[in-house]
Every structure is written in structure tokens, then in C-alpha cells.
Amino acid sequence: MENTVAEAIRVVALGNDGDGMAQTPQGRVFIPGTVPGDDVLLADETGTHATLERIVTPGPDRVTPPCHLSDACGGCRLQHMALPAIAAWKTARVVEALQRTGFTDIPTPATHQVAPYGRRRVDLAFRRVDRRIVLGLHRRRGDVVDMTQCTVLDPALFALLAPLRQVLHSLPAVHAGGDVQINLLDSGPDLLIALDGTPDANDRRILAQFGKSHGIPRISLRAQPPETLALTGPVFHHFDGVRVVPPPGAFLQVARDGEAAIRAAVLGNLPRKGLKAGIIELYAGCGTLSFALAEHAKVNAYEGDRAAFACLKQASGGTRVLPALRDLNRQPVMAGDLARAATVVLDPPHAGAGAQMAQIVAGKPRHVIYVSCNPIALQRDLAPLQQAGYRLESLTVVDQFLWSAEVESVCVLTLPGTTRPRRR
């Protein structure tokens, strides 16, 4: 039976992945490519998922996608939605996660949304197709989409894609394809490549010439540990004026502007008194926040990844950063140490802080700053702090993954009525 306009349904919200949500006679369904307020006809329903036949009446926040690849490329799920509406939705996601933890008095969030063309980190796949290289992101559960346009990437990274296709096509070690991660460091693009063949001297020669021609000081092979394929100049980056040498594939906040917003939220909410007791920083990485924090107090910086720790340690000389190598899930910093700190700052991975949270709850540090990249993990990790009596003093939401469902937040928590334990 053909659909008619009378059968159109209203999209009422977005799900966690950014797909529109509607109620049908068969139950709730999620519809990619829709926004709240859209009246739509569905082409097909399978369980809780549906495909869009057409928009009958567009919702107030629907816009024309700025990139012609938006329907195919797997990188931007929400280019059909106005950026202010996306920022409001992401803020609401974080607030709802905090409400589910039990916080009732949530401060008005400060918000920051980065500008387009600012992404400096990207993971791409490449495939040999019809005697050429296709380089880009995977469409949903599909093949690689050639990235011939991008409104997210820094122009310096996007300009590199065309010559990168050519050099990958010329490599004998590329059979069917592989993957490449690119970090835009202060020294230039840093490439970490996974190949489906074994690179020989000829591959290395080709990559070295490519690096010299395009200002790429280092090209590495993804392995355990990574292997340098071509090194044509010094590799470096700066965090708050401190020069570090990030390992291949190092974690960077995805946008420089987003990193600055997170740093400002953390530094702006440090306690005004008692910093002589020092700061404990968990999941310090290569020092994204460490050196900024060290301008205010001594920082005991814990990191579990050996390569990131080595980078941090090498750069920490002459600063107040004291790095320590520690797997925080297997060997968390203990409650007694946390209790003596002026503040605990943590920026855990996507899965959250795991076993470390139990020690934070037991130690009851007066001041905790939690940087999150996952509202689900945020809810799980902060629930025990709320139950222990912590108050949420400040909330900052940062949208640096434009047109995606990803969102960052900075939560500042305090425990009223605590006093600093005496040193023995």
C-alpha cells in the first residue's frame, strides 16, 4: 500500500547517535537524516530502525547540508541540522546525564562550539579501487567514501589528501588498502599508517621523498611499537609553551579551539586557596592540561600509556609536572593520596575512569574537575560522587566534533564541609 501524506509521522527528538526518533503504530523508531519537527514518510521499518522515504514538512532546525558528501560520508551525521540546534541538543544530553546521576541543582552550562574547518586529527581508510586510491571515511556499515570535500578538516590536512592518494597508489606495500591516522602537530602533519603489505626500502624511499615535499617530518608504520618509516625533520608540539615530542598516533584534542575551551574551563575553576597541597592529574596523556596546571601548583601527573608517559616525562624537566607511569584501572591512585590534594583533575578515556572512581569516592578530595567525552560514562562515574554528597558547582559543554553526536564537558564538583587532613 502506498504511503500518503496522511501517513506522515512527526520526528520528536534525537537519539544518542543523532538519528531522529518518532513513534509509529509499531513502536518507537530511529530515522537517520531527520531532525525534530520533521514530518516524514518512511520507506522501511526493521525493528527500531527505519529508512526515510521523504520529508513532507521540514522541521524548523533543518538546513541544507554544507557538504555534498553528507549523506554518504560516515563522519557527519547531522549536517542537515542547524549548528545552534546541535549545540543545544548536546548540552541537553549532558544535563540529562547529570540529572540521572541525582544532581538536582545543576548550574547553567557555559557552552562553546568550535568553528568549521578546525579539525586537526583524523583517522581515514584507503582502498585500491579501479586503479586508484579511495581515501576517506566509511559510510555507515559500508565502503570507504572518497573524501573530495570536507567542512570539518583543517585546510592544511585536506590539502594533503590528494597527494596522499598518489603516494599510497605508488607504494608496493599497498595491496588492497589500509588505514592512516593524521595528527596536525606544530611541526607539521604526523602520519601513522597501517598497510596490508610489508614495506621495503623502496617504500621507505618513496615515503621519505613524499615527506620532504609536503612538510611531513615523520611517517610511521602502525605496529607494536610503531616503526618509523621516514623521518625528515624534528617532530614537536607545544602545550602552554612547553615543547613535547608526541609519539606516533598520540592523542590530541580534535580542535585547537576545543582544547583551549576545555583548558580554560579547568583553569578557571581551580580552587582559589590551598593549591600548595598540589594537584593530582589522572590520565595526563602527553601534557594537554599538565603544563597549564603546573603554572598554578605542583602537578602529580599519572598516565598509563608508556609512549605518552615517556613524552610527558621528557618534557617535564624544569617544570612543576611530576609524571608517573600507572595503569589507573589496575593500580588506581589511592584514597589517602587523593584526599591530600588541593584538587583532582581527570580526563579519562571514552569508557570512563573505571576502578579509579572508587578511590576518589573513598578519598573524598574537596575539589574534583572531571573532563568527559562520553555522557554515558559521565553519568556512571559521577553517580557515586553525587551519592557521597558532592555538589556540581560548574558545567561547561564543548562541541568540538561538529555535526556529530560526540560531546565534551567539564564538570567541577566540591564536597561541602570537608577539612584537609593533617599531614603526619
Side-chain angles (χ1 to χ4, degrees), residues 22-35:
Q23 192 70 31
T24 72
Q26 290 72 39
R28 186 174 64 177
V29 295
F30 294 92
I31 316 155
T34 62
V35 302

Side-chain angles (χ1 to χ4, degrees), residues 135 156-168 171 180-193 204-221 228-236 248-249:
L135 174 67
L157 287 188
F158 183 76
L160 185 63
L161 300 189
L164 183 57
R165 289 184 183 91
Q166 295 177 5
V167 75
L168 291 171
L171 289 180
V180 57
Q181 177 181 327
I182 311 174
N183 274 340
L184 186 57
L185 305 179
D186 290 342
S187 56
D190 189 42
L191 274 60
L192 179 62
I193 302 179
R204 295 169 189 269
R205 178 190 59 78
I206 293 170
L207 289 172
Q209 184 57 52
F210 174 69
K212 288 180 181 178
S213 300
H214 296 280
I216 303 168
R218 180 176 65 188
I219 302 174
S220 305
L221 177 69
T228 301
L229 294 175
L231 186 65
T232 59
V235 177
F236 59 87

Side-chain angles (χ1 to χ4, degrees), residues 32-33 65 67-80 119 122-125 135-153 158 161 165 402-404:
C67 176
H68 75 272
L69 295 176
S70 63
D71 288 339
C73 175
C76 296
R77 289 191 171 190
L78 289 165
Q79 285 214 336
H80 52 278
R119 183 163 183 155
V122 66
D123 293 276
L124 302 174
L135 174 67
L137 299 170
H138 287 274
R139 70 178 78 240
R140 288 192 183 187
R141 296 176 292 277
D143 297 330
V144 180
V145 176
D146 207 26
M147 190 177 281
T148 55
Q149 181 183 359
C150 187
T151 54
V152 174
L153 276 187
F158 183 76
L161 300 189
R165 289 184 183 91
L402 290 184
W403 295 299
S404 80

